[in-house]
Amino acid sequence: MIREETIMAKQNIYDNDAFYDNFKSLRDSDINFNDLIETPIITAMMPDLKGKRVLDIGCGMGQHAMQYVKSGARSVVGIDISEKMLAYAKEHNSDEKITYKRMAFEELDSLDEKFDVITSSLAFDYVEDFGKLMKTIYGKLDESEYLVFSMSHPLSTAYDGVYDRYTRTETGKRLYANLHNYGIEGLRHIHWVVDDYEVYHRTVSTLINEIAAAGFVIEECQESKISEELLQKYPDQFDGVIHQPDFIFFRCRK
């Protein structure tokens, strides 16, 4: 069984057929950044979830929501604006303790409940007002509870498509990352699978300051990293991680 509530929201890139199909093919592969790099780090940063009420913002295909239930969460609310992602979540990652809702970041205030843990995996790159989001999340948490999230690293979101992300050897090996316009914050329009893919770029200091301004204490911060074993086994996929972290992670407490 799965409970479903729908709140109409803005469209996003994951409802584009070409983008969704590409994303799904990446997630279906055994060798992907989400499963091998992002998930182990954010999982290690989570507090004990036994008996907790969890909100998963940008729940996507529901893998994390199901993981939280298996870790003992009392209930999980997963929100996302993509119909395609939620359809997959309801089909493949359903549980009586999970409620999926179609909802945008801007609609979080419409939730009339509070949570013990609020989490998000690689979704906050799409929010226009990060500071406002942090304040809204702060108000949705019970006292002394946790926000744990990952997002694309500012060194990654700085990419504006003007130059290649990496300088490479003639054989294609990445020598170093190219950094351009890091200090210019705001909306980036780039080509990734489809034209005019949009993310918001912010510096590391902006992220830290807006988290703190919302009232949170940052207990832990991590950047994506890769084991020597994976690097040796899959250099073509992962050797860029040693030059530029793709993700940044925060564990914050109210």
Side-chain angles (χ1 to χ4, degrees):
M1 287 291 295
I2 182 169
R3 293 175 290 157
E4 174 189 357
E5 299 178 30
T6 301
I7 297 177
M8 292 309 294
K10 300 176 181 178
Q11 285 292 323
N12 86 17
I13 192 64
Y14 291 90
D15 280 337
N16 176 289
D17 289 340
F19 192 89
Y20 173 81
D21 290 343
N22 180 80
F23 180 82
K24 185 175 181 300
S25 69
L26 290 174
R27 292 306 307 266
D28 287 342
S29 170
D30 291 335
I31 311 304
N32 65 73
F33 276 79
N34 298 75
D35 293 336
L36 296 183
I37 295 181
E38 191 268 346
T39 296
I41 296 174
I42 196 170
T43 298
M45 295 175 69
M46 295 291 289
D48 185 359
L49 296 180
K50 291 179 181 176
K52 300 295 186 179
R53 300 160 298 163
V54 179
L55 172 63
D56 185 6
I57 300 175
C59 63
M61 295 178 169
Q63 294 98 328
H64 285 288
M66 180 61 74
Q67 176 188 350
Y68 302 147
V69 167
K70 291 180 179 179
S71 296
R74 185 171 80 195
S75 63
V76 178
V77 175
I79 68 169
D80 205 288
I81 69 172
S82 168
E83 291 181 344
K84 289 180 178 292
M85 300 288 266
L86 290 174
Y88 184 97
K90 288 179 280 188
E91 181 178 355
H92 298 280
N93 290 299
S94 64
D95 188 275
E96 62 182 7
K97 295 181 179 180
I98 301 175
T99 300
Y100 289 114
K101 299 184 180 185
R102 188 170 180 233
M103 180 181 292
F105 296 119
E106 296 82 0
E107 297 172 308
L108 277 175
D109 278 332
S110 66
L111 290 174
D112 58 0
E113 56 188 305
K114 288 198 172 185
F115 300 90
D116 303 307
V117 178
I118 296 180
T119 184
S120 180
S121 171
L122 304 179
F124 290 170
D125 313 332
Y126 305 114
V127 66
E128 181 176 4
D129 193 334
F130 181 77
K132 181 179 178 180
L133 177 65
M134 290 296 102
K135 292 175 183 176
T136 301
I137 290 173
Y138 189 89
K140 294 297 178 183
L141 275 172
D142 272 342
E143 292 300 322
S144 300
E145 296 295 359
Y146 291 93
L147 164 66
V148 183
F149 68 94
S150 65
M151 60 190 300
S152 293
H153 198 288
L155 292 180
S156 180
T157 58
Y159 176 70
D160 56 12
V162 175
Y163 302 103
D164 291 338
R165 284 187 182 271
Y166 297 94
T167 296
R168 300 172 182 259
T169 66
E170 292 181 355
T171 62
K173 181 180 179 181
R174 298 173 181 90
L175 285 175
Y176 50 84
N178 300 317
L179 188 61
H180 180 245
N181 285 340
Y182 173 82
I184 300 176
E185 300 184 304
L187 185 61
R188 296 286 201 263
H189 297 266
I190 62 173
H191 177 85
W192 183 42
V193 182
V194 297
D195 290 331
D196 210 28
Y197 175 77
E198 296 182 351
V199 295
Y200 287 89
H201 167 64
R202 300 171 180 88
T203 63
V204 172
S205 60
T206 292
L207 295 180
I208 292 172
N209 290 334
E210 292 191 338
I211 292 169
F216 285 109
V217 173
I218 298 174
E219 291 192 343
E220 184 178 0
C221 177
Q222 295 285 343
E223 297 171 293
S224 53
K225 50 187 174 289
I226 188 167
S227 68
E228 185 64 27
E229 179 183 0
L230 281 177
L231 183 60
Q232 293 297 324
K233 194 172 183 180
Y234 307 109
D236 292 342
Q237 290 93 334
F238 298 129
D239 67 0
V241 178
I242 63 175
H243 302 301
Q244 173 189 291
D246 294 275
F247 314 129
I248 192 166
F249 305 77
F250 291 97
R251 170 176 159 138
C252 313
R253 192 161 191 174
K254 182 173 179 176

